[in-house]
Amino acid sequence: MALPVWRRAAAAGRFRLGSGFRGFRESGKERGDQGAEPRVFSGIQPTGIPHLGNYLGALQSWVHLQERYHTVLYSIVDLHSITVPQDPGTLRQSVLDMAACLLACGISPAQSCIFQQSQVAEHAELAWILSCLTSMPRLRHLPQWKVKSQRQNNEGSVGLFTYPVLQAADILLYRATHVPVGDDQVQHLELTQDTARLFNRLYGDFFPIPKAIMGTSKKIRSLRDPSSKMSKSDPHKLATVRLTDSPEEIVMKFRKAVTDFTSEVTYDPEGRPGVSNLVAIHSAVTGLSAEEIVGRSRGMETAQYKLAVAEAVIQKLRPIREEMHRLQKDRGYLQGVLRQGAQRAKEMAAPVYDSVCRLVGFR
């Protein structure tokens, strides 16, 4: 497979990694509220290889956002990942694997700032200041705390309890104006918005109020339990299609996908969630509507249709998997992308944090 355009350009010396922000402004870029320069921020945890749902629901749209906005930051949020215990060696490797994944999916260091969260100390420092503005009852009502603390027998860590404040700091540290979110993250963004408003009331109009960019893809469900989202942490090995799965693994997982006893292919998420999940996946990887998929599959039995969906997924993921494997062999390159990304992120974060410190009276 040919190298992506941005990698060929890098090899030829046509741009320096992390330098693509200057001169990238295009006509038609959206303006953020309060007249702030449009700036997109999002993060992803380095906890396992992303799956098909991650790609279709988030990573694919991240690639489009770097074409639409002048300044885009994508952080590998390793500070968030340690709210549950992590093996240090595994975590270090997972950060590099996630960097390889982002690049393989098409995120370009010439257009986006890709960096490791822990390498920009201002994230944690701003989180402390914002935590002093955040009430405990507000954090207790966030659904993720309720669910995750119950999984830990109500013994969740302080970090797990306060990580939404760190999320707010991640966004506000760069005065981000837009944040791509899924349905399950809306309340966390609302906390960020409220925190920005409170800070502005106390210390003056400083932070833009970040707006949500809602995903348009249908939720990808577990292949073994279509009532649940596809998840990296699903204990059932056949439930989740990972971006690095081989064609043989993908075929096996779709063969075993839960459907029902009706062989016809229809789209009815309430009545036939299993088959409808396959249609949603097929639609997402081909760009066809669910109605077009159903029309083209008329006369096909479910068993045959599973193989058709598997083949479409294989074709979609093949270049990503191959490029990711190629990148994983070049640790020096990945480390360089993250190092220069962190330097660029630091250049943006430091003056914002310095202004915050002056506003609150630290300087």
Side-chain angles (χ1 to χ4, degrees), residues 34-301:
Q34 301 182 17
E37 178 68 27
R39 187 169 288 182
V40 174
F41 178 92
S42 195
I44 188 168
Q45 290 197 34
T47 50
I49 299 297
H51 56 68
L52 182 63
N54 296 141
Y55 175 69
L56 296 174
L59 299 180
Q60 188 171 236
S61 68
W62 285 15
V63 176
H64 300 316
L65 289 173
Q66 71 183 1
E67 302 291 341
R68 182 179 176 190
Y69 290 90
H70 177 236
T71 305
V72 180
L73 299 103
Y74 295 133
S75 181
I76 300 173
V77 289
D78 50 342
L79 294 177
H80 289 289
S81 72
I82 64 169
T83 55
V84 295
Q86 301 287 334
D87 174 76
T90 301
L91 180 58
R92 280 188 285 271
Q93 183 60 49
S94 294
V95 168
L96 293 179
D97 288 343
M98 186 57 68
C101 178
L102 296 180
L103 296 171
C105 286
I107 296 171
S108 163
Q111 297 169 281
S112 302
C113 180
I114 307 168
F115 70 101
Q116 185 178 348
Q117 179 193 31
S118 63
Q119 302 309 298
V120 182
E122 286 86 352
H123 283 262
E125 294 173 7
L126 180 59
W128 171 251
I129 294 174
L130 300 184
S131 70
C132 295
L133 303 178
T134 308
S135 72
M136 293 178 66
R138 179 65 190 278
L139 295 180
R140 280 197 202 99
H141 284 102
L142 292 173
Q144 286 85 345
W145 164 251
K146 295 178 182 178
V147 171
K148 293 183 179 181
S149 63
Q150 287 172 1
R151 288 179 187 165
Q152 299 182 21
N153 298 317
N154 295 314
E155 295 293 335
S157 68
V158 173
L160 181 62
F161 184 67
T162 62
Y163 92 95
V165 181
L166 179 57
Q167 282 186 321
D170 295 337
I171 297 165
L172 298 180
L173 181 61
Y174 301 98
R175 303 186 79 246
T177 59
H178 296 79
V179 183
V181 295
D183 293 339
D184 57 345
Q185 299 168 318
V186 169
Q187 285 189 310
H188 284 187
L189 182 59
E190 289 173 348
L191 174 67
T192 302
Q193 294 167 334
D194 290 345
T195 302
R197 292 186 184 104
L198 177 57
F199 187 94
N200 290 348
R201 284 199 300 270
L202 292 173
Y203 300 109
D205 192 17
F206 181 71
F207 288 120
I209 308 304
K211 299 176 182 177
I213 301 175
M214 301 301 298
T216 57
S217 297
K218 295 181 177 69
K219 280 187 179 178
I220 304 303
R221 321 300 296 187
S222 163
L223 295 183
R224 299 300 299 168
D225 179 11
S227 67
S228 303
K229 289 195 311 179
M230 188 173 284
S231 171
K232 287 189 286 187
S233 60
D234 195 314
H236 202 303
K237 293 182 179 180
L238 299 178
T240 302
V241 177
R242 290 174 172 77
L243 298 189
T244 52
D245 281 351
S246 68
E248 294 76 18
E249 288 172 317
I250 293 172
V251 168
M252 179 181 64
K253 289 177 179 181
F254 277 98
R255 279 185 185 276
K256 298 292 185 179
V258 170
T259 52
D260 53 36
F261 297 106
T262 302
S263 62
E264 184 183 5
V265 177
T266 62
Y267 185 70
D268 178 9
E270 294 296 325
R272 303 188 68 198
V275 173
S276 297
N277 185 42
L278 297 182
V279 173
I281 291 171
H282 201 178
S283 172
V285 299
T286 61
L288 299 172
S289 68
E291 292 73 20
E292 289 175 306
I293 294 291
V294 170
R296 295 185 180 198
S297 305
R298 191 167 290 116
M300 187 181 294
E301 294 188 352

